[in-house]
Amino acid sequence: MDARKAASRFFTDEFIVAAKPVKERFLAPEAAIEAKEKALMQVRDARADDIPAIMAIYNDAVLHTTAIWNDTQVDAANRLAWLSQRQASHYPVLVADAGPQGIVGYASFGDWRAFDGYRHTVEHSVYVRADQRGGGIGKVLLAALIERARDLGKHVMIAAIEAGNEASIHLHERLGFEQVARMPQVGTKFGQWLDLVFLQLMLDQRTTPDLTIG
């Protein structure tokens, strides 16, 4: 296979990402081992035994970033209840499993608003472990989420991103999201006002939504 081409394969419940091969002769032995460990990353459905890693990633974002507008850390019971609720709603929680390196990110989506009229729209979140950011993991997770949303027949995906997070905004735009709104100073964290940017992706081209008869 041409080493210049990114290889990706879709399976029913898994998304395998083949990283570009590394010229190991230019790497120190430790770096070569790490490169081999990263060569295959599996995006799969989360399990209960992933909760400690999910909790650690979430709490790090609470403490150190404006990705989550929350000041309170959570415990394992909180994340397990969240996972169970998502699964009961038939919504995905995906993890990026890097084998020996463990869980390096996770992503999910849920209802955008809790009214029947919004049933075709979901809002998502993607979080990457602090030591793995900037390596393309967020893009892989988001791409997998988009496919899951289409599989569920959703029409629109919504992203709500802190306006200063330009990297996340640009990532979404590269995957087809468009900015539709900016809400100044609707949040606060770390002693400053935060602006919220909304982006959305149209998942299909249907002109008539499904009707609910009751």
Side-chain angles (χ1 to χ4, degrees):
M1 180 178 293
D2 188 345
R4 293 171 297 179
K5 294 181 179 178
S8 62
R9 299 185 296 260
F10 286 92
F11 295 88
T12 302
D13 293 314
E14 297 180 347
F15 181 62
I16 307 296
V17 180
K20 293 180 180 180
V22 178
K23 296 180 180 179
E24 296 180 7
R25 63 180 179 275
F26 296 116
L27 299 176
E30 296 82 1
I33 292 173
E34 183 177 356
K36 287 182 178 179
E37 292 175 348
K38 285 184 176 181
L40 286 177
M41 183 181 69
Q42 182 186 50
V43 174
R44 58 170 174 78
D45 290 291
R47 307 183 299 250
D49 59 344
D50 298 317
I51 289 298
I54 290 173
M55 179 185 68
I57 293 170
Y58 180 95
N59 285 336
D60 179 80
V62 168
L63 291 174
H64 302 296
T65 79
T66 56
I68 299 174
W69 294 10
N70 193 359
D71 301 321
T72 305
Q73 297 183 72
V74 299
D75 59 16
N78 174 281
R79 290 297 85 187
L80 183 59
W82 169 78
L83 174 63
S84 298
Q85 187 276 328
R86 287 290 166 96
Q87 291 175 337
S89 299
H90 305 289
Y91 285 153
V93 177
L94 305 178
V95 294
D97 187 345
Q101 296 188 64
I103 302 303
V104 294
Y106 74 95
S108 184
F109 60 70
D111 294 327
W112 184 48
R113 300 188 71 184
F115 299 96
D116 292 341
Y118 296 104
R119 64 188 176 277
H120 297 300
T121 301
V122 291
E123 181 178 356
H124 68 276
S125 56
V126 178
Y127 301 107
V128 176
R129 204 171 72 191
D131 64 332
Q132 299 292 321
R133 291 172 191 152
I137 294 169
K139 182 178 180 180
V140 171
L141 284 165
L142 181 52
L145 269 189
I146 291 169
E147 291 305 311
R148 289 296 188 93
R150 287 191 171 118
D151 289 344
L152 288 174
K154 298 302 179 180
H155 183 55
V156 174
M157 283 188 77
I158 299 289
I161 304 173
E162 192 271 312
N165 192 347
E166 294 182 357
S168 183
I169 291 172
H170 292 159
L171 166 62
H172 282 76
E173 290 175 336
R174 288 197 298 272
L175 289 178
F177 284 77
E178 297 181 354
Q179 292 192 38
V180 293
R182 180 177 179 133
M183 303 176 68
Q185 299 187 8
V186 293
T188 181
K189 194 172 184 181
F190 304 137
Q192 60 183 340
W193 293 114
L194 300 176
D195 294 355
L196 188 65
V197 172
F198 280 105
L199 301 94
Q200 74 175 53
L201 175 68
M202 305 298 290
L203 296 167
D204 61 33
Q205 301 302 316
R206 79 180 90 168
T207 57
T208 303
D210 299 331
L211 298 178
T212 297
I213 300 174

